[in-house]
Amino acid sequence: IYKGWRKSIEISNSEIKNKLAIRKSIFASQPILKGDIFSLKNLAIKRPGNGIEPKHWNDLINKKSTRDINKDELIVWDDFSK
């Protein structure tokens, strides 16, 4: 159930599936080695959206990778040093 400003509405299962399908996440655009710095050159935004949302892009830039990451692999919060 989504509680909006004026009323609550129930979200159907198909709407939840669609939301996940159209949401985007941050991925590796090329192989990234452990210790490499995340940059505009090695990150991309793609679907599906089951990882870090693009609104957190600046939280990743200039951070070090904590593991080797393959091209087109989803970036997760544990993949960079804070």
Side-chain angles (χ1 to χ4, degrees), residues 5-19:
W5 180 57
R6 291 187 177 190
K7 63 180 179 177
S8 295
I9 57 172
E10 191 166 330
I11 299 172
S12 70
N13 287 337
S14 63
E15 288 174 314
I16 291 169
K17 288 178 187 176
N18 285 340
K19 180 180 177 183

Side-chain angles (χ1 to χ4, degrees), residues 65-78:
S65 172
T66 58
R67 68 178 182 99
D68 291 345
I69 303 169
N70 296 318
K71 180 180 179 182
D72 295 324
E73 189 173 345
L74 186 69
I75 305 296
V76 296
W77 290 109
D78 291 335

Side-chain angles (χ1 to χ4, degrees), residues 20 23-25 27 46-52 74-76:
L20 293 174
R23 197 175 141 230
K24 296 181 180 181
S25 293
F27 286 79
K46 297 182 179 185
R47 288 185 179 142
N50 50 358
I52 299 174
L74 186 69
I75 305 296
V76 296

Side-chain angles (χ1 to χ4, degrees), residues 26-72:
I26 300 173
F27 286 79
S29 62
Q30 63 186 34
I32 301 171
L33 301 176
K34 182 178 180 177
D36 283 355
I37 304 296
F38 289 114
S39 69
L40 299 175
K41 292 182 180 181
N42 60 16
L43 295 175
I45 297 172
K46 297 182 179 185
R47 288 185 179 142
N50 50 358
I52 299 174
E53 294 179 81
K55 70 180 181 180
H56 298 291
W57 181 268
N58 290 330
D59 296 334
L60 278 110
I61 298 298
N62 295 321
K63 297 286 184 1
K64 277 188 183 179
S65 172
T66 58
R67 68 178 182 99
D68 291 345
I69 303 169
N70 296 318
K71 180 180 179 182
D72 295 324

